[in-house]
Amino acid sequence: MQDRSMAGTDTRIEQKLGFDRIRRMIADRCSTEYAAGRVSGEKFSSDAREIRQRLLLTDEMRLIMMFEENFPTSGYIDSIGFLKPLEYPSSHIDLISLRKLNTMLETLGKVLAFFDEAREGVYPNLKRMAAPVAGFPVVQHRIDGILDRFGEVKDTASDELYSIRKSLKDKEGAISRRINAIMKKAQDEGIVDKDASVSVRDGKMLIPVSATNKKKIQGFVYDESASGKTAFIEPAEVVEIDNQIKELKFAEGREILRILLEFSDFLRPYIPDLLAAAAYLGEIDFIMAKAQVALDIIAGMPLISDSGEMNLRKARHPLLEKALKKEKKEIVPLTVTLTPQKHILLISGPNAGGKSVCLKTVGLLQYMFQWGMLVPTSETSELPVFDRIMVSIGDDQSLDNDLSTYSSFLSDMKEMLALSGSSTLVLIDEFGSGTEPTAGGAIAEALLSEIDRRGVYGVITTHYTNLKMYASGDTGVVNGAMMFDVKNIAPLFKLETGLPGNSFAFELARKMGLPEAIVKDAENRAGENFVDIERNLRKIARNRRALDEKLERIRNTDKTLESITDRYQKELQDIKKMKKEILDQARKEAEEIVKGANRQVENTIRTIKEAEAEKEITQEARKELQNFVTVLAQKKEQEQKEKDDYIERKIRQLDARRERARLRKERKADERTRQEMEQQRLEQERLDAFRNAPLKVGEKVRLKVGGMVGEVVKLSSKNIIVNIGNISTKISPDKVERISSNEFRQVMKETPRQASSVKYDSSISERKLNFSPEIDVRGERLNDALDKVIRYVDDAIMLGMPSVRIIHGKGTGVLREEIQKFLRTMPGVASVSDEHIQFGGTGVTIVNFD
């Protein structure tokens, strides 16, 4: 058990809860040493304002990572290391550091431009963070005047450098023309073979001449073949030009150094601001790493509770969820509520049912929250701020301290009682276990009563029945049960609050195949009271589950009825309104009909009277009256048909609405699926963007073949130069992949020449097995022999060989002397010496490595 307060970082509690792995996940996403240091140095906080600020910054960066394509996700370079010494006048910047500074300033400009162009009110906290940071256009302009796009010093960096390089080109052209002229003349005179060509060794242009003719060309014998039949002569006329070229190259180096010294003096007043800018970029890299991990675990920002309530809704353990995804399984979300009145959750249930996972989920998410990390829950979740978190998880027995499992538990409880209060969260797994059950249960109940009295918040797991009974009373403790499928004898990994859990020990024993007689005997030995309690708990659980299912069905039915009632109520109002309109219209029409009928009757009577009741006319009048009555009946029938059609139409409309509601529900489900797929796509795009973005000087890379890591020190149009340990290599960008600084550090710790434990991939192991501890270069020309030795020694260093033997023979001693001279200049070589006389003496060179 360990206290966790604001002071310091507790490694043990982080290991118990799994937060050390969350830290590692974030550190692996950092590009800079500064950001990785921030990850390891960030503290658990009990200041609500500080926690809120950390969460807001991370949440805003999460949104940027999801929706903004213009925000730079690469080019974050460690710059503080080479900027800090520049504060002193005696120091100056080197060429590689200048390239890194250029990369840093380019990235800084893009970040500042992004926040400057962002709309008002968008990403407000990150914008405020960027506000005091200044750009450095003057410095960038000065660097642009020194470096070309490949990071090389421009000819135009100074007038003097331009003049030196122009002279160099002229001299190199002159030496080439002159030696070709001498070669042609010697061939014409028969001194040199017609098919011979100029040979280049150690950068010198030489003429191959047979040994018998070597005195016929004025110059110096620079080398000869292994057989001694051919001499390689540097003409005297060329030597002078070559010396001039060497002097010009020295002058070029001095001028570049002068330019860098001058630039360092120019840069020195900007150093404080540049250090602040470098720290700002490191901070952005740190926040970005947190946001990327938040996207990986689908985390959001919870609310900070002011009322002391903890409401975790749909909480997921990020590490468990990641492991289950690999097995293509779904995690069961957790919902937990603690209040000042019910502030301790006592979880019971079968072994391997998920009790400890629930406890660790609450602890890990609370720790992540107070560390400033977004948590994988519903964003409507509320979390309070605790002064400390205290845990007693796992077995901390120690032979050194003479602590047994139960002694360790009691030690934890002693410290917990000394430090816990109403602002403490305690997490206790398997409360009171490890000793005789009766005494252990009694001590656990006394401890629980005291913790409850103090108002301490907690999540506790147990099997003790007396603790379940305590939680069932009028206390601050609430029971929680891990649900169990009794029919299939399998855990459901679902937490049900308000009920104690059952251990299901006898059921599990039957499922595992123990003889029924033994299980029955065990039930008898447990006693009738225990079996009755367990049976009643199962019955309560079943009844509760059945009741919950009925309540859920009733709630769904109520919602459906309420929805239908609302719809029909509206339909009824519409019908009543239409009925009124129809009746009003019918009344008007009836009045018109009555008026028309009265007029018709009056006309008929008048016609009969005028015709003096003639039989034919009377019959005609009666016929007209009958026709009028028929028309009225037909009209009435038509009105009834229209009403029937209206009712049928309304029924069809209701059916259509139900169908539209069903389609809307399906569309919402499809939309959720689409959003999840879009989230996965965005994550993949973000990873691809990180990996595929153009490399920059100072970034860390890994070779796709071989797995070695290094740092980019130079870029060209087609290749990059990578420093791998003490070796620089030119390689195509598509053969490497960008890695974080944390990955780089991890690999460097395991580099053969840096640590005692060596780790190789399969290709390096195979090469080491096939590697010969000696090489024979006898009979080779000096230049060819040196090429072979260089490649051989590079391989030896790369494979971590302690020493090698180079067999070159004795001869004139030139080959030995040149090889040893060159080896002493190679990085990674500790010593060079002749072999013992009985094993070859001066004919063999022994090379030992650092």
Side-chain angles (χ1 to χ4, degrees):
M1 195 282 306
Q2 196 71 27
D3 168 33
R4 181 67 185 95
S5 59
M6 287 182 64
T9 299
D10 192 322
T11 303
R12 181 177 175 274
I13 189 174
E14 292 187 2
Q15 290 174 344
K16 292 288 187 182
L17 296 177
F19 186 75
D20 58 326
R21 294 170 63 188
I22 300 294
R23 269 193 200 267
R24 196 154 54 246
M25 287 167 65
I26 298 170
D28 286 343
R29 291 303 191 99
C30 295
S31 297
T32 62
E33 294 283 347
Y34 178 96
R38 285 284 287 113
V39 174
S40 61
E42 188 79 322
K43 310 295 184 187
F44 174 99
S45 175
S46 57
D47 185 334
R49 289 171 59 184
E50 183 179 357
I51 293 168
R52 177 177 171 78
Q53 182 64 15
R54 292 180 187 180
L55 293 173
L56 284 171
L57 290 171
T58 307
D59 195 48
E60 289 179 8
M61 186 59 77
R62 178 179 68 94
L63 295 175
I64 289 175
M65 295 290 99
M66 289 176 66
F67 303 116
E68 303 288 356
E69 296 180 355
N70 296 330
F71 189 83
T73 56
S74 61
Y76 293 85
I77 303 297
D78 284 301
S79 305
I80 294 177
F82 65 80
L83 285 173
K84 193 71 177 171
L86 294 178
E87 291 181 314
Y88 304 100
S90 59
S91 64
H92 70 85
I93 197 167
D94 58 38
L95 194 53
I96 292 176
S97 297
L98 183 60
R99 291 168 185 156
K100 289 183 179 181
L101 178 61
N102 192 34
T103 300
M104 186 271 275
L105 292 177
E106 286 178 357
T107 305
L108 177 67
K110 291 175 183 176
V111 172
L112 295 179
F114 174 85
F115 288 118
D116 187 53
E117 294 167 5
R119 296 193 310 275
E120 193 64 34
V122 180
Y123 316 127
N125 293 280
L126 286 172
K127 284 189 75 170
R128 277 196 296 274
M129 185 177 166
V133 182
F136 299 89
V138 176
V139 176
Q140 280 187 282
H141 179 72
R142 186 71 176 263
I143 294 174
D144 289 342
I146 297 172
L147 299 181
D148 61 19
R149 63 194 183 96
F150 300 120
E152 293 293 344
V153 178
K154 292 179 176 179
D155 294 350
T156 56
S158 73
D159 293 340
E160 181 64 19
L161 185 61
Y162 180 82
S163 175
I164 291 170
R165 287 186 173 172
K166 185 175 182 302
S167 299
L168 263 174
K169 289 176 184 177
D170 292 343
K171 295 296 182 184
E172 286 169 352
I175 201 171
S176 178
R177 289 192 299 270
R178 189 61 196 143
I179 200 162
N180 283 326
I182 295 170
M183 180 79 169
K184 187 175 184 307
K185 182 182 177 184
Q187 286 173 333
D188 292 342
E189 294 176 356
I191 300 172
V192 177
D193 293 340
K194 289 291 185 182
D195 58 350
S197 60
V198 174
S199 178
V200 178
R201 298 197 173 192
D202 298 334
K204 293 180 178 292
M205 302 181 76
L206 309 172
I207 297 175
V209 183
S210 63
T212 55
N213 294 328
K214 63 183 179 182
K215 294 184 178 180
K216 294 180 180 180
I217 296 180
Q218 189 176 1
F220 302 94
V221 177
Y222 186 80
D223 196 6
E224 63 179 19
S225 66
S227 63
K229 292 180 179 180
T230 304
F232 296 91
I233 297 175
E234 184 178 17
E237 298 175 49
V238 173
V239 172
E240 181 59 32
I241 304 175
D242 188 52
N243 289 336
Q244 292 174 10
I245 289 174
K246 285 182 179 178
E247 289 178 3
L248 286 170
K249 285 191 177 292
F250 288 136
E252 179 188 32
R254 288 193 297 271
E255 179 59 17
I256 289 174
L257 178 59
R258 189 196 65 78
I259 291 169
L260 293 175
L261 286 167
E262 185 180 275
F263 176 79
S264 299
D265 291 338
F266 158 79
L267 193 66
R268 202 156 280 114
Y270 295 96
I271 294 299
D273 292 334
L274 283 168
L275 287 169
Y280 167 75
L281 278 184
E283 198 69 25
I284 290 292
D285 184 28
F286 167 58
I287 297 170
M288 189 162 59
K290 288 169 63 181
Q292 287 170 337
V293 171
L295 287 171
D296 289 345
I297 62 177
I298 315 176
M301 179 175 170
L303 303 173
I304 298 179
S305 173
D306 297 326
S307 61
E309 290 192 5
M310 173 190 284
N311 289 304
L312 275 175
R313 298 184 177 94
K314 297 181 179 178
R316 309 180 317 280
H317 194 293
L319 303 175
L320 176 62
E321 184 175 33
K322 187 177 179 181
L324 288 175
K325 277 184 178 179
K326 291 180 180 178
E327 301 174 8
K328 297 184 178 178
K329 295 179 182 178
E330 292 291 328
I331 194 169
V332 179
L334 171 70
T335 295
V336 173
T337 298
L338 296 178
T339 66
Q341 293 75 36
K342 291 289 184 180
H343 47 88
I344 297 176
L345 175 63
L346 184 76
I347 306 175
S348 51
N351 286 322
K355 301 189 300 297
S356 297
V357 170
C358 288
L359 178 143
K360 289 182 179 180
T361 300
V362 173
L364 176 60
L365 268 54
Q366 183 69 39
Y367 198 99
M368 289 171 64
F369 164 74
Q370 293 195 231
W371 188 80
M373 183 63 188
L374 304 182
V375 294
T377 67
S378 165
E379 292 193 0
T380 60
S381 294
E382 291 182 276
L383 291 173
V385 176
F386 295 108
D387 287 342
R388 57 172 57 87
I389 297 175
M390 306 180 78
V391 303
S392 179
I393 300 173
D395 184 2
D396 281 337
Q397 61 179 309
S398 170
L399 295 175
D400 295 334
N401 299 326
D402 195 25
L403 285 178
S404 67
T405 300
Y406 193 65
S407 298
S408 175
F409 165 76
L410 292 177
S411 176
D412 289 347
M413 294 305 102
K414 177 184 176 182
E415 188 172 356
M416 196 173 284
L417 290 174
L419 297 173
S420 62
S422 59
S423 294
T424 304
L425 174 66
V426 299
L427 306 165
I428 308 173
D429 196 23
E430 299 294 349
F431 193 27
S433 63
T435 190
E436 192 275 320
T438 303
I443 293 173
E445 186 173 351
L447 288 167
L448 180 60
S449 175
E450 177 61 18
I451 293 171
D452 178 21
R453 186 189 67 78
R454 294 186 183 190
V456 175
Y457 284 71
V459 179
I460 300 172
T461 70
T462 188
H463 287 289
Y464 286 147
T465 302
N466 63 314
L467 299 185
K468 302 176 195 177
M469 302 299 291
Y470 177 88
S472 300
D474 186 16
T475 65
V477 185
V478 60
N479 270 309
M482 298 311 300
M483 304 308 291
F484 195 81
D485 185 347
V486 181
K487 182 178 179 182
N488 298 311
I489 314 297
L492 299 174
F493 304 106
K494 181 180 179 183
L495 176 67
E496 186 77 21
T497 55
L499 285 175
N502 191 322
S503 66
F504 293 97
F506 300 128
E507 287 80 357
L508 287 169
R510 287 188 174 96
K511 181 184 179 184
M512 296 306 294
L514 284 182
E516 180 64 23
I518 292 178
V519 177
K520 283 289 185 184
D521 184 36
E523 287 179 335
N524 293 333
R525 290 174 183 275
E528 202 172 306
N529 289 338
F530 177 82
V531 175
D532 286 344
I533 289 172
E534 291 289 299
R535 188 179 294 117
N536 287 332
L537 284 175
R538 287 198 298 276
K539 185 176 179 181
I540 291 169
R542 282 197 300 270
N543 292 341
R544 174 64 181 269
R545 197 154 52 248
L547 179 61
D548 286 344
E549 289 173 359
K550 287 180 181 178
L551 287 173
E552 186 64 26
R553 285 199 298 272
I554 291 170
R555 278 195 291 268
N556 291 335
T557 303
D558 285 346
K559 288 179 182 177
T560 304
L561 286 174
E562 186 178 342
S563 176
I564 292 172
T565 301
D566 289 344
R567 288 203 302 270
Y568 279 114
Q569 187 68 32
K570 188 175 184 304
E571 293 290 334
L572 184 60
Q573 290 175 355
D574 292 343
I575 290 171
K576 285 180 178 179
K577 182 180 178 183
M578 189 169 290
K579 178 182 176 183
K580 184 175 181 302
E581 292 174 353
I582 290 171
L583 289 174
D584 291 343
Q585 183 66 27
R587 196 177 293 111
K588 290 179 182 178
E589 291 177 357
E591 289 174 357
E592 291 296 325
I593 290 170
V594 170
K595 289 179 182 178
N598 288 336
R599 283 194 300 272
Q600 185 68 31
V601 171
E602 289 172 0
N603 289 337
T604 302
I605 293 171
R606 189 168 55 252
T607 301
I608 292 172
K609 286 181 178 179
E610 290 174 355
E612 294 178 354
E614 291 182 8
K615 185 177 180 180
E616 293 81 1
I617 297 173
T618 301
Q619 289 176 347
E620 183 67 27
R622 285 176 177 172
K623 185 178 180 181
E624 290 179 2
L625 187 58
Q626 184 64 39
N627 289 338
F628 179 71
V629 171
T630 301
V631 169
L632 285 177
Q634 290 175 344
K635 190 169 185 180
K636 184 177 181 181
E637 183 180 347
Q638 178 66 26
E639 289 175 352
Q640 183 61 40
K641 185 175 181 300
E642 288 178 355
K643 290 179 181 177
D644 291 343
D645 290 344
Y646 169 75
I647 292 171
E648 182 68 26
R649 191 166 60 253
K650 296 304 291 182
I651 290 173
R652 285 198 302 271
Q653 287 176 352
L654 289 173
D655 288 340
R657 288 177 185 174
R658 279 195 292 269
E659 180 64 16
R660 285 197 297 273
R662 184 184 67 79
L663 291 173
R664 277 198 300 271
K665 186 176 180 180
E666 289 180 355
R667 280 198 298 272
K668 285 182 179 178
D670 291 342
E671 178 64 18
R672 281 196 298 271
T673 302
R674 189 192 65 77
Q675 288 176 352
E676 289 174 359
M677 292 176 66
E678 179 67 13
Q679 176 72 21
Q680 293 173 357
R681 185 187 65 78
L682 288 171
E683 175 61 18
Q684 188 59 46
E685 285 182 355
R686 193 168 60 253
L687 288 173
D688 291 343
F690 174 75
R691 290 170 179 157
N692 299 329
L695 290 167
K696 297 180 180 178
V697 172
E699 291 189 319
K700 310 298 188 297
V701 294
R702 179 193 290 115
L703 272 62
K704 292 180 180 177
V705 177
M708 290 178 291
V709 299
E711 180 180 354
V712 179
V713 295
K714 185 179 175 184
L715 303 171
S716 65
S717 56
K718 294 182 180 179
N719 296 305
I720 60 173
I721 305 296
V722 180
N723 274 356
I724 302 175
N726 293 322
I727 302 169
S728 293
T729 182
K730 182 183 287 187
I731 194 168
S732 174
D734 60 5
K735 293 185 179 179
V736 300
E737 59 183 359
R738 180 186 282 105
I739 61 172
S740 69
S741 61
N742 197 53
E743 289 177 280
F744 178 78
R745 284 198 312 276
Q746 291 295 327
V747 176
M748 289 305 293
K749 287 178 182 177
E750 299 169 355
T751 300
R753 292 183 292 107
Q754 299 293 330
S756 58
S757 59
V758 183
K759 183 178 179 181
Y760 300 107
D761 67 12
S762 59
S763 64
I764 293 179
S765 299
E766 184 178 352
R767 286 175 64 187
K768 186 167 183 179
L769 287 172
N770 297 326
F771 186 81
S772 173
E774 64 181 30
I775 185 175
D776 190 342
V777 294
R778 287 176 293 183
E780 299 283 350
R781 292 181 178 180
L782 177 61
N783 199 43
D784 296 336
L786 283 174
D787 286 343
K788 287 186 176 181
V789 168
I790 290 169
R791 287 195 297 271
Y792 178 73
V793 171
D794 282 347
D795 283 347
I797 292 173
M798 197 176 300
L799 296 173
M801 303 301 295
S803 64
V804 293
R805 300 173 81 244
I806 301 173
I807 304 171
H808 42 66
K810 297 180 180 179
T812 61
V814 173
L815 192 57
R816 166 187 170 275
E817 183 180 347
E818 291 299 325
I819 287 175
Q820 292 192 359
K821 185 192 301 180
F822 182 80
L823 286 170
R824 290 188 177 97
T825 66
M826 288 189 71
V829 174
S831 65
V832 178
S833 61
D834 293 333
E835 177 62 280
H836 191 277
I837 190 166
Q838 70 181 92
F839 298 118
T842 57
V844 178
T845 294
I846 301 297
V847 185
N848 293 304
F849 302 110
D850 292 337

